[in-house]
Structures are given as C-alpha cells and as structure tokens.
Amino acid sequence: MDKRELARIIEHGETDRIEFKRCGNQPGGDLFETLCAFANSFGGDVFLGVDDDGTIIGLREDQVLPVTRNILNVLNNPNAFDIPVPVDFEQIDIDGRSIVKLAVPNSPQMHSYKGSVYERRGDSDMVVRGSAPLAELCIRKQGIFTEQRVFENVALDDLRDDLIDRARTMATAKRKDHPWGNMTNRQLVESAGFYGKDFTTGKTGFNLAAVVTLGKDEVIRSLCPTYKTDALVRVEDTERYDDRLTVATNLLDAYQLLAEFGRKHLPDRFLLSGDFATSPRDVIIRELVVNCLIHREFTSPFVAKMIVDRKALRTENASRASFEGPLDPDSFNPLPKNPLIASFFSHVGLAEELGSGTRELFRNSRLYTGRDPELEEGVIFRATVPLEAPSTMEYHVISLPKDIEAAALQLAAREEGLRTSDLVEAGHSRRTAQRAIRDLVDAGKLASEGNGPSRVYRV
C-alpha cells in the first residue's frame, strides 16, 4: 500500500471494515477485540499509528518489531484467544514514521478473546450475547442450510392439503406437463426436497422448509417460534404507523398477504409493454416480498420488516451472508440462502432463476421512479426502492378502459394476473367487479387460478 491509497482510506474514516488505533509501545486490549470482531464478521484492516479522527501519528522505526511481536504473542496465547486469529502485517513508511496495517480475513472459525465473542457492527466491536445470536454466528460460519433441519415427529397431516393442492395448480399453470400434476401429496412434497435424511444423525422426516412453506400455523409456531414479518406504513404517523400487518403463517399465504398489503399502499403506474399494460409496482413488490421470505434465516430472532414511507419501500430480514456490503446487479455472484424453498417458489411461478430477480428489481425500479434500488448484504439484508421520482421524469402511463370488462382483460394479461381488488382500486364497486369477472370466466375469456385470497385470473 502506498501513501496515496492510505490517504484515501483515512479520508473515508472508520467503517465496518476499517479501524484506526493510536498504539503506544504496547497495543491495548481494544485492538484484540477488533481483531476478534473482524475475524468473526467479514474481515477488515486495522491501521496502527492513526488516531480515531484520521490524524497520522505513526510509530518509530524501533517500535515496529516489538509491537508486531507482542501482537503475535497475544494472538497465539490460549489464555487470550481460544483459536488464533490469522493476521497479515504490512509496514507503510510516511515521512519518517511507520504505519502498521493488520489485515484480518473473514475466518471460517468462531473466535473469542478472553472468553468473549466479538463481532463487527458498523464501526464498533460488540460482544455477542445470548444463545440465539451465537447460534446465528455459528450457522454463518459453518454454511449450514437450516431449512434442511429434519423433524422426525412431523407427519404429512401436519402440512396443509389445500396448500399442496395450490402448489400443484400453480406449477401446472406455469407448465402444463409439470410432473407435480400427477403426483400424490406425499410424492409432491418429497419431490420438492421437503422430506429427507440428516446424514449426521441418521434421522429422516419432513424438514424446516416443508414446515414453513406448507405447514399448519400451529406447527410453524411450535418449530419456528421467531418467524414472522411486520409490514408497516409510516406516511402520516411516522413515530408509530398508519397501517400494520403482522404475518406469521406459511410462505404461500404470507406472500399473498404481504403483496396485497404493498399493492394497497403503493400507487400503480401502468406502462405499455407491447399490446399489454404492465405494472412495475407489482414486479417490485413481488421481488422484494419473495426475497424477504425465501432468502431469510428462519432461526434468527430478528423480525423481518416491510416498511412503506413517503420516500421508499424498504425490507429487512435476517440473512446468512457470505460478505457484507452493497450488491451490484452487474457483478454480484448470487448465493442461495434456502435453495429448497427457492426452488419451490420457482416451480410455482413466484420466483425465477437465482439472480434474475435482482436484475428485474433494478429494471422495474427505473421504470417506476427513474432511480435504482439499494441492496445491502450483511447479517441483516436490507433492500430499499425509492418512491420519489425525479421532477424531470416522464411516465408513459396508459389509463385503463372505462368499460370494466375491457379493464379486467387488460389487467389479467399482466404477469401478476387480475384480482378483484385491482378493479376495486380502479374505482369499481366490489360487487360490480365480482360480477364482471364471473361473466368473463363464464364466457371462457378468463381462467381462475388458486383459491381464496390467493385466487388470480388470467386471460
């Protein structure tokens, strides 16, 4: 590293991966807390000889060797570190003084310093307390897919037959010859990978993926008690909320409820795509809701959130991340968090291949407001889609036909299909909307898909 690169780092200040330490003749204990935190989180660099405010103090040449030896001795002292933290040293000479850079990689091990486990949060080193946060850290380190956890005592009767039937209907609607169409309920669930064997224990049974995707609510509460999603609207009442929905049911119903909540509170802007109207809003909601549901860490006590305010639509969910920082749709390498659940959502048509959803989100966010979304990976995955468009943006919006049947057919041609609530939002009464849809179904112009609140109509 040269002086110019160091100056650039100092100018940006301390971050989740950069730490400055003054360092006298002997490094203090807070240095080792930072090294432990970096190793347990996503790695980072410590610069010895730089004050917290970025002032370069430096070390004398004769201090460098004793200081580095002292650090190595502590790192390899079993009374200080249970497992030594790997560190690379680099000396940077500036105007007769030396800066020592300590580069700490993201370690596959979980480290503790003097009996405490540290992790990096922002520019601070925090002690990890409690069994759940420690378990999260272990999961992240070991690359465990918790969706595959097997429960021997879960039976097929603990899953909902109507949800399995809905999955079969959705899969065959997407692909007429889908093999699920001719399978029994048990065969379908097993085909989805929701029944398996834990080869470390020898147990066989339905797994956590089956429970959260198709399970009855009481089974989900028993086996996954921390799983829920809070949806909030904070437009007028920014301290509390204007509207709220708490969802702790199976993933299929959760998707439907959260998507409807989002459509209820976000304005639609229909754009002409070929001969049909498309809704960037609906695509944005679908991608954010699906990501929040299927790419989360279900064992985390962190409550997932979907928040609508004046400026943005935001989602937050616990993640088993392999790195920390913003996602670039052109260069990121998507990693599945729950591959079985992601595959199931792909079969039923609510998700596409890994990574394509992110690109769709960026494309439709630009159509919706002319701005890019912000996606940030970490222990908590955060997605933000701005709702305020630049004043110079022009919308090529088309209005729906006044004739309700023509409007219904136009909406049904969208990827999301038509729901009764779409016509209600367009200004028609619910009874009129239901009658129009029924007439179109009877005439063979629309076909229904799904049951209850999840029912949609397509051309």
Side-chain angles (χ1 to χ4, degrees), residues 58-246:
L59 284 73
R60 298 191 313 272
E61 180 66 30
D62 61 350
Q63 288 180 293
V64 173
L65 185 57
V67 166
T68 54
R69 280 179 175 171
N70 180 280
I71 293 171
L72 285 170
N73 287 336
V74 175
L75 290 175
N76 289 279
N77 181 351
N79 293 321
F81 284 89
D82 58 340
I83 301 173
V85 171
V87 175
D88 288 331
F89 293 85
E90 181 181 354
Q91 182 176 338
I92 308 163
D93 295 321
I94 298 179
D95 301 328
R97 306 288 286 183
S98 295
I99 305 296
V100 177
K101 173 189 171 186
L102 310 179
V104 184
N106 177 4
S107 172
Q109 305 287 338
M110 185 171 72
H111 301 267
S112 66
Y113 172 64
K114 292 189 174 179
S116 294
V117 176
Y118 293 85
E119 70 175 348
R120 190 74 169 179
R121 297 179 188 170
D123 59 357
S124 301
D125 307 315
M126 310 294 291
V127 177
V128 182
R129 293 187 173 92
S131 57
L134 285 170
E136 284 184 54
L137 184 57
C138 288
I139 289 168
R140 197 166 72 241
K141 292 293 180 184
Q142 297 174 18
I144 296 173
F145 291 115
T146 51
E147 65 166 358
Q148 297 178 10
R149 181 182 176 188
V150 169
F151 298 98
E152 286 184 299
N153 296 322
V154 173
L156 187 63
D157 289 345
D158 294 313
L159 308 182
R160 284 174 48 183
D161 290 338
D162 63 309
L163 292 178
I164 301 174
D165 288 340
R166 190 194 307 175
R168 182 184 291 109
T169 300
M170 294 172 73
T172 53
K174 181 183 178 184
R175 176 183 150 198
K176 286 187 176 181
D177 61 344
H178 197 288
W180 287 1
N182 298 316
M183 290 184 181
T184 65
N185 283 3
R186 174 173 283 276
Q187 288 172 335
L188 188 155
V189 175
E190 291 182 359
S191 172
F194 289 174
Y195 186 95
K197 179 177 182 179
D198 184 335
F199 288 93
T200 61
T201 64
K203 296 179 180 179
T204 58
F206 294 102
N207 52 32
L208 184 61
V211 171
V212 297
T213 306
L214 301 170
K216 297 177 179 177
D217 285 357
E218 60 269 24
V219 180
I220 296 174
R221 284 194 299 269
S222 175
L223 299 179
C224 200
T226 60
Y227 156 67
K228 72 175 181 177
T229 306
D230 254 354
L232 302 167
V233 175
R234 289 175 175 156
V235 176
E236 301 300 332
D237 189 343
T238 57
E239 296 298 323
R240 288 175 54 78
Y241 51 83
D242 305 318
D243 194 6
R244 181 178 185 179
L245 172 70
T246 299

